[in-house]
Amino acid sequence: GHGGGVAKCRDGKPRDSRRTPAPPPAPMGVFGADMPAKGKLVLAIAPIWANLSGQRIGTQGVSSEFIVANVPWWVDPTKKLRLVPQNIAVAAQTGVISYGLTNDLSVIVTASIAEKRLEALTFRGQSGITPLGRSYPSTFGLSDFTTSAIYRIYQDPIHRIQVNLGFAYPFSFNTARFDLLQPDGTVPNIRAFYGMQPGSGTLDIMPGIVYAGNLGQWSWGLSYRGRIPLANNPENWRFGDLHEFNGWTGYTLIPGITATFRVSGATQGQISGFDREILGRAVPTNPAFYGGQRVELFGGGVVSGKLINFDAASIAFEAGLPVYQNLNWPQLAKNWPAGFSFRLRISPRRFRS
């Protein structure tokens, strides 16, 4: 029901939400499947990590020497690139607050900070394939601030369909700087590459839909979520539109322990516009060298605190492996992502006098 009324089953009889057991949890990486009950507040922290290394053009791996010998600098195509990233380690920490306004409507607020560490290989002089040295700069800052709503449009004892809509706000930090070795041996402090910025500084709309089902010990689902920047940031660029699709299955081994398997496919466009301060002769200064398609497999699980008589807490974890990557021009391939979340459910009514 809309205003927190009673949801009805397929046979038209009212469903008392307190008696219906909650469906098994979805994998950690799926947004919009799990909703807190009416009047319940869920707090979560979710650290995630990822690593990227090895240059790829399309689906083909290429060497750093191949890139500096063959790929032109987009600002002046008569010159070649002189710097190639070797490795990026990403660590992000997200805080999440979700609240059930009604049985069928939840709101979610998230804030994230990110740290990115780069290993970059610089080649000597204006041309040639002689390495000069490596630098290891890093960036840190606010990555995201988002608000979303999830609305359940259909539910019966097995199936449910939920839509979600969110916004990411332009509070994120996209003017981080770092020290980077140049082909002439100097190490100036310059604005970090697009992909090394903690955030994008754009206002993004994030639409999504989830179908989920469960029967006995099995659960499953399909989801879509987009992230579409509405305009360039003040530095005159925005990331390409991102579309992510998930399919998953879960198996509840015993009440409180669910193992999950997820397939994720994503496609993202190139960067639009460009930042006048990100112009050096490095692979990641080219806005066209971003985006592509990726398919990843994830295994994980969700463990409820009910195993130790602390039902209000749960831990979810997931780790993944890319099985297909088709990247726009030379860029680093993803090696693995991993993360976990700790969730605590509280009833605000308890604290009222």
Side-chain angles (χ1 to χ4, degrees):
H2 234 294
V6 181
K8 289 191 170 60
C9 292
R10 191 185 267 157
D11 59 9
K13 289 177 184 154
R15 172 178 62 77
D16 184 335
S17 65
R18 283 167 302 191
R19 269 184 230 139
T20 307
M28 175 189 162
V30 174
F31 181 86
D34 298 339
M35 297 173 66
K38 178 182 176 181
K40 295 285 188 196
L41 186 70
V42 178
L43 308 178
I45 53 166
I48 58 165
W49 301 270
N51 183 270
L52 300 92
S53 71
Q55 292 287 332
R56 196 174 286 211
I57 296 178
T59 58
Q60 192 67 43
V62 293
S63 69
S64 301
E65 288 76 15
F66 175 88
I67 290 170
V68 296
N70 293 284
V71 179
W73 183 33
W74 71 286
V75 179
D76 177 357
T78 63
K79 297 176 174 157
K80 299 288 193 283
L81 297 176
R82 306 309 298 146
L83 184 145
V84 183
Q86 303 296 297
N87 190 290
I88 294 177
V90 180
Q93 177 78 47
T94 302
V96 185
I97 301 173
S98 11
Y99 181 70
L101 286 172
T102 74
N103 285 327
D104 296 319
L105 179 64
S106 302
V107 289
I108 298 177
V109 178
T110 78
S112 307
I113 50 173
E115 180 180 30
K116 301 183 180 183
R117 296 178 174 274
L118 171 68
E119 177 189 341
L121 176 61
T122 304
F123 287 80
R124 188 186 302 277
Q126 297 299 304
S127 62
I129 57 169
T130 308
L132 173 66
R134 293 172 190 257
S135 33
Y136 300 88
S138 64
T139 56
F140 176 81
L142 183 66
S143 169
D144 253 334
F145 181 83
T146 77
T147 59
S148 307
I150 306 172
Y151 183 65
R152 185 179 295 129
I153 57 175
Y154 176 82
Q155 179 166 24
D156 66 34
I158 297 175
H159 311 282
R160 60 190 195 277
I161 299 171
Q162 294 160 191
V163 292
N164 59 76
L165 182 65
F167 291 93
Y169 298 95
F171 311 144
S172 52
F173 185 44
N174 70 323
T175 54
R177 303 177 73 83
F178 57 24
D179 298 334
L180 199 65
L181 177 66
Q182 301 298 305
D184 61 3
T186 60
V187 187
N189 182 262
I190 58 173
R191 183 166 292 173
F193 308 136
Y194 302 102
M196 285 294 293
Q197 293 295 340
S200 60
T202 52
L203 175 65
D204 306 348
I205 187 167
M206 301 182 293
I209 184 165
V210 173
Y211 156 75
N214 61 284
L215 189 60
Q217 292 168 290
W218 289 97
S219 49
W220 60 87
L222 296 168
S223 76
Y224 160 77
R225 197 182 195 202
R227 180 162 183 161
I228 296 134
L230 296 177
N232 285 5
N233 57 31
E235 284 64 49
N236 187 43
W237 61 275
R238 65 178 185 263
F239 280 119
D241 295 353
L242 172 67
H243 303 281
E244 185 185 38
F245 302 87
N246 284 292
W248 77 89
T249 180
Y251 184 75
T252 301
L253 306 158
I254 61 171
I257 299 185
T258 300
T260 61
F261 174 75
R262 172 167 73 98
V263 181
S264 168
T267 177
Q268 185 170 26
Q270 300 169 329
I271 288 176
S272 302
F274 69 95
D275 182 336
R276 293 185 176 279
E277 286 199 35
I278 306 180
L279 294 179
R281 287 166 67 180
V283 172
T285 64
N286 190 332
F289 295 177
Y290 286 83
Q293 289 86 43
R294 190 177 274 129
V295 177
E296 296 169 275
L297 305 180
F298 288 85
V302 185
V303 179
S304 165
K306 71 173 66 160
L307 297 170
I308 53 168
N309 285 334
F310 189 54
D311 198 13
S314 69
I315 291 175
F317 54 92
E318 230 181 9
L321 208 59
V323 290
Y324 173 80
Q325 299 184 75
N326 185 352
L327 307 178
N328 295 331
W329 298 96
Q331 50 176 299
L332 286 175
K334 199 171 184 180
N335 286 331
W336 54 264
F340 78 89
S341 74
F342 174 74
R343 303 170 193 159
L344 190 61
R345 190 177 68 247
I346 50 183
S347 301
R349 289 191 200 95
R350 268 188 217 156
F351 304 113
R352 292 185 192 146
S353 50

